[in-house]
PDB file of all heavy atoms in Angstrom:
ATOM      1  N   PHE X1532       0.654  28.051   1.702  1.00  0.00           N
ATOM      2  CA  PHE X1532       0.232  28.629   2.961  1.00  0.00           C
ATOM      3  C   PHE X1532      -0.838  29.689   2.664  1.00  0.00           C
ATOM      4  O   PHE X1532      -1.114  30.053   1.497  1.00  0.00           O
ATOM      5  CB  PHE X1532       1.428  29.306   3.677  1.00  0.00           C
ATOM      6  CG  PHE X1532       2.509  28.441   3.989  1.00  0.00           C
ATOM      7  CD1 PHE X1532       3.597  28.275   3.054  1.00  0.00           C
ATOM      8  CD2 PHE X1532       2.602  27.789   5.215  1.00  0.00           C
ATOM      9  CE1 PHE X1532       4.687  27.472   3.379  1.00  0.00           C
ATOM     10  CE2 PHE X1532       3.593  26.966   5.520  1.00  0.00           C
ATOM     11  CZ  PHE X1532       4.678  26.761   4.561  1.00  0.00           C
ATOM     12  N   GLN X1533      -1.453  30.253   3.727  1.00  0.00           N
ATOM     13  CA  GLN X1533      -2.509  31.284   3.487  1.00  0.00           C
ATOM     14  C   GLN X1533      -1.848  32.561   2.890  1.00  0.00           C
ATOM     15  O   GLN X1533      -2.456  33.159   2.077  1.00  0.00           O
ATOM     16  CB  GLN X1533      -3.308  31.569   4.746  1.00  0.00           C
ATOM     17  CG  GLN X1533      -2.514  31.736   5.985  1.00  0.00           C
ATOM     18  CD  GLN X1533      -3.456  31.924   7.189  1.00  0.00           C
ATOM     19  OE1 GLN X1533      -3.788  33.030   7.561  1.00  0.00           O
ATOM     20  NE2 GLN X1533      -3.856  30.839   7.686  1.00  0.00           N
ATOM     21  N   GLU X1534      -0.667  32.881   3.348  1.00  0.00           N
ATOM     22  CA  GLU X1534      -0.053  34.026   2.805  1.00  0.00           C
ATOM     23  C   GLU X1534       0.835  33.589   1.605  1.00  0.00           C
ATOM     24  O   GLU X1534       1.884  33.067   1.775  1.00  0.00           O
ATOM     25  CB  GLU X1534       0.730  34.916   3.842  1.00  0.00           C
ATOM     26  CG  GLU X1534       1.901  34.277   4.514  1.00  0.00           C
ATOM     27  CD  GLU X1534       1.603  33.065   5.387  1.00  0.00           C
ATOM     28  OE1 GLU X1534       0.410  32.925   5.791  1.00  0.00           O
ATOM     29  OE2 GLU X1534       2.493  32.246   5.614  1.00  0.00           O
ATOM     30  N   ILE X1535       0.185  33.720   0.413  1.00  0.00           N
ATOM     31  CA  ILE X1535       0.805  33.184  -0.786  1.00  0.00           C
ATOM     32  C   ILE X1535       2.089  33.927  -1.037  1.00  0.00           C
ATOM     33  O   ILE X1535       2.158  35.163  -1.026  1.00  0.00           O
ATOM     34  CB  ILE X1535      -0.091  33.442  -1.965  1.00  0.00           C
ATOM     35  CG1 ILE X1535      -1.497  32.735  -1.635  1.00  0.00           C
ATOM     36  CG2 ILE X1535       0.516  32.805  -3.247  1.00  0.00           C
ATOM     37  CD1 ILE X1535      -2.610  33.309  -2.524  1.00  0.00           C
ATOM     38  N   ALA X1536       3.188  33.237  -1.331  1.00  0.00           N
ATOM     39  CA  ALA X1536       4.451  33.900  -1.530  1.00  0.00           C
ATOM     40  C   ALA X1536       4.995  33.583  -2.929  1.00  0.00           C
ATOM     41  O   ALA X1536       5.756  32.695  -3.091  1.00  0.00           O
ATOM     42  CB  ALA X1536       5.441  33.588  -0.518  1.00  0.00           C
ATOM     43  N   LEU X1537       4.445  34.162  -3.981  1.00  0.00           N
ATOM     44  CA  LEU X1537       5.033  34.079  -5.312  1.00  0.00           C
ATOM     45  C   LEU X1537       6.203  35.028  -5.382  1.00  0.00           C
ATOM     46  O   LEU X1537       6.237  36.052  -4.682  1.00  0.00           O
ATOM     47  CB  LEU X1537       3.957  34.400  -6.324  1.00  0.00           C
ATOM     48  CG  LEU X1537       2.792  33.544  -6.443  1.00  0.00           C
ATOM     49  CD1 LEU X1537       1.646  34.098  -7.331  1.00  0.00           C
ATOM     50  CD2 LEU X1537       3.149  32.126  -6.897  1.00  0.00           C
ATOM     51  N   TYR X1538       7.168  34.667  -6.222  1.00  0.00           N
ATOM     52  CA  TYR X1538       8.313  35.546  -6.412  1.00  0.00           C
ATOM     53  C   TYR X1538       7.840  36.764  -7.194  1.00  0.00           C
ATOM     54  O   TYR X1538       7.429  36.589  -8.410  1.00  0.00           O
ATOM     55  CB  TYR X1538       9.451  34.844  -7.097  1.00  0.00           C
ATOM     56  CG  TYR X1538       9.854  33.533  -6.457  1.00  0.00           C
ATOM     57  CD1 TYR X1538       9.730  32.309  -7.114  1.00  0.00           C
ATOM     58  CD2 TYR X1538      10.353  33.487  -5.125  1.00  0.00           C
ATOM     59  CE1 TYR X1538      10.000  31.133  -6.476  1.00  0.00           C
ATOM     60  CE2 TYR X1538      10.700  32.326  -4.580  1.00  0.00           C
ATOM     61  CZ  TYR X1538      10.572  31.098  -5.243  1.00  0.00           C
ATOM     62  OH  TYR X1538      10.883  29.999  -4.621  1.00  0.00           O
ATOM     63  N   PRO X1539       7.834  38.003  -6.639  1.00  0.00           N
ATOM     64  CA  PRO X1539       7.159  39.133  -7.254  1.00  0.00           C
ATOM     65  C   PRO X1539       7.978  39.627  -8.500  1.00  0.00           C
ATOM     66  O   PRO X1539       7.350  40.180  -9.384  1.00  0.00           O
ATOM     67  CB  PRO X1539       7.272  40.249  -6.193  1.00  0.00           C
ATOM     68  CG  PRO X1539       8.404  39.753  -5.190  1.00  0.00           C
ATOM     69  CD  PRO X1539       8.420  38.335  -5.277  1.00  0.00           C
ATOM     70  N   HIS X1540       9.256  39.332  -8.637  1.00  0.00           N
ATOM     71  CA  HIS X1540      10.075  39.788  -9.778  1.00  0.00           C
ATOM     72  C   HIS X1540       9.981  38.816 -10.949  1.00  0.00           C
ATOM     73  O   HIS X1540      10.641  39.044 -11.971  1.00  0.00           O
ATOM     74  CB  HIS X1540      11.476  40.012  -9.321  1.00  0.00           C
ATOM     75  CG  HIS X1540      12.201  38.773  -8.903  1.00  0.00           C
ATOM     76  ND1 HIS X1540      11.849  38.071  -7.692  1.00  0.00           N
ATOM     77  CD2 HIS X1540      13.101  37.979  -9.496  1.00  0.00           C
ATOM     78  CE1 HIS X1540      12.529  37.025  -7.618  1.00  0.00           C
ATOM     79  NE2 HIS X1540      13.296  36.878  -8.762  1.00  0.00           N
ATOM     80  N   MET X1541       9.344  37.710 -10.784  1.00  0.00           N
ATOM     81  CA  MET X1541       9.233  36.736 -11.836  1.00  0.00           C
ATOM     82  C   MET X1541       7.843  36.618 -12.500  1.00  0.00           C
ATOM     83  O   MET X1541       6.825  36.753 -11.751  1.00  0.00           O
ATOM     84  CB  MET X1541       9.555  35.318 -11.257  1.00  0.00           C
ATOM     85  CG  MET X1541      10.999  35.155 -10.871  1.00  0.00           C
ATOM     86  SD  MET X1541      11.266  33.681  -9.789  1.00  0.00           S
ATOM     87  CE  MET X1541      10.849  32.406 -10.905  1.00  0.00           C
ATOM     88  N   GLN X1542       7.823  36.510 -13.787  1.00  0.00           N
ATOM     89  CA  GLN X1542       6.540  36.326 -14.504  1.00  0.00           C
ATOM     90  C   GLN X1542       5.918  35.010 -13.900  1.00  0.00           C
ATOM     91  O   GLN X1542       6.641  34.137 -13.452  1.00  0.00           O
ATOM     92  CB  GLN X1542       6.740  36.174 -15.981  1.00  0.00           C
ATOM     93  CG  GLN X1542       7.090  37.433 -16.667  1.00  0.00           C
ATOM     94  CD  GLN X1542       7.294  37.220 -18.187  1.00  0.00           C
ATOM     95  OE1 GLN X1542       7.610  36.109 -18.577  1.00  0.00           O
ATOM     96  NE2 GLN X1542       7.273  38.276 -18.932  1.00  0.00           N
ATOM     97  N   CYS X1543       4.622  34.939 -14.033  1.00  0.00           N
ATOM     98  CA  CYS X1543       3.995  33.698 -13.465  1.00  0.00           C
ATOM     99  C   CYS X1543       4.450  32.413 -14.019  1.00  0.00           C
ATOM    100  O   CYS X1543       4.671  31.426 -13.306  1.00  0.00           O
ATOM    101  CB  CYS X1543       2.433  33.814 -13.692  1.00  0.00           C
ATOM    102  SG  CYS X1543       1.754  35.073 -12.711  1.00  0.00           S
ATOM    103  N   ILE X1544       4.794  32.424 -15.353  1.00  0.00           N
ATOM    104  CA  ILE X1544       5.320  31.183 -15.908  1.00  0.00           C
ATOM    105  C   ILE X1544       6.656  30.748 -15.248  1.00  0.00           C
ATOM    106  O   ILE X1544       6.886  29.603 -15.044  1.00  0.00           O
ATOM    107  CB  ILE X1544       5.454  31.315 -17.536  1.00  0.00           C
ATOM    108  CG1 ILE X1544       5.767  29.992 -18.129  1.00  0.00           C
ATOM    109  CG2 ILE X1544       6.517  32.321 -17.912  1.00  0.00           C
ATOM    110  CD1 ILE X1544       4.599  28.950 -18.169  1.00  0.00           C
ATOM    111  N   ASP X1545       7.425  31.768 -14.943  1.00  0.00           N
ATOM    112  CA  ASP X1545       8.748  31.488 -14.255  1.00  0.00           C
ATOM    113  C   ASP X1545       8.503  31.012 -12.836  1.00  0.00           C
ATOM    114  O   ASP X1545       9.238  30.219 -12.320  1.00  0.00           O
ATOM    115  CB  ASP X1545       9.673  32.671 -14.326  1.00  0.00           C
ATOM    116  CG  ASP X1545      10.168  32.980 -15.695  1.00  0.00           C
ATOM    117  OD1 ASP X1545      10.504  32.013 -16.427  1.00  0.00           O
ATOM    118  OD2 ASP X1545      10.119  34.134 -16.128  1.00  0.00           O
ATOM    119  N   ASN X1546       7.474  31.575 -12.221  1.00  0.00           N
ATOM    120  CA  ASN X1546       7.075  31.158 -10.873  1.00  0.00           C
ATOM    121  C   ASN X1546       6.669  29.723 -10.875  1.00  0.00           C
ATOM    122  O   ASN X1546       7.138  28.906 -10.067  1.00  0.00           O
ATOM    123  CB  ASN X1546       5.868  31.962 -10.403  1.00  0.00           C
ATOM    124  CG  ASN X1546       6.284  33.088  -9.471  1.00  0.00           C
ATOM    125  OD1 ASN X1546       6.618  32.912  -8.253  1.00  0.00           O
ATOM    126  ND2 ASN X1546       6.342  34.266 -10.045  1.00  0.00           N
ATOM    127  N   ILE X1547       5.899  29.312 -11.838  1.00  0.00           N
ATOM    128  CA  ILE X1547       5.325  27.917 -11.901  1.00  0.00           C
ATOM    129  C   ILE X1547       6.525  26.984 -12.235  1.00  0.00           C
ATOM    130  O   ILE X1547       6.666  25.890 -11.661  1.00  0.00           O
ATOM    131  CB  ILE X1547       4.256  27.799 -12.976  1.00  0.00           C
ATOM    132  CG1 ILE X1547       2.965  28.647 -12.613  1.00  0.00           C
ATOM    133  CG2 ILE X1547       3.817  26.358 -13.132  1.00  0.00           C
ATOM    134  CD1 ILE X1547       1.995  28.694 -13.696  1.00  0.00           C
ATOM    135  N   ALA X1548       7.425  27.449 -13.118  1.00  0.00           N
ATOM    136  CA  ALA X1548       8.523  26.521 -13.558  1.00  0.00           C
ATOM    137  C   ALA X1548       9.687  26.501 -12.562  1.00  0.00           C
ATOM    138  O   ALA X1548      10.486  25.582 -12.689  1.00  0.00           O
ATOM    139  CB  ALA X1548       9.075  26.990 -14.958  1.00  0.00           C
ATOM    140  N   TYR X1549       9.619  27.404 -11.632  1.00  0.00           N
ATOM    141  CA  TYR X1549      10.788  27.487 -10.755  1.00  0.00           C
ATOM    142  C   TYR X1549      11.243  26.155  -9.971  1.00  0.00           C
ATOM    143  O   TYR X1549      12.425  25.859  -9.960  1.00  0.00           O
ATOM    144  CB  TYR X1549      10.667  28.612  -9.689  1.00  0.00           C
ATOM    145  CG  TYR X1549      11.901  28.960  -9.015  1.00  0.00           C
ATOM    146  CD1 TYR X1549      13.001  29.551  -9.692  1.00  0.00           C
ATOM    147  CD2 TYR X1549      12.066  28.684  -7.716  1.00  0.00           C
ATOM    148  CE1 TYR X1549      14.188  29.826  -9.081  1.00  0.00           C
ATOM    149  CE2 TYR X1549      13.264  29.012  -6.990  1.00  0.00           C
ATOM    150  CZ  TYR X1549      14.324  29.588  -7.779  1.00  0.00           C
ATOM    151  OH  TYR X1549      15.473  29.854  -7.123  1.00  0.00           O
TER     152      TYR X1549
END
Side-chain angles (χ1 to χ4, degrees):
F1532 301 91
Q1533 48 183 265
E1534 63 295 342
I1535 305 157
L1537 295 171
Y1538 306 117
H1540 62 289
M1541 289 165 65
Q1542 288 179 341
C1543 289
I1544 190 71
D1545 291 317
N1546 264 281
I1547 298 172
Y1549 193 66

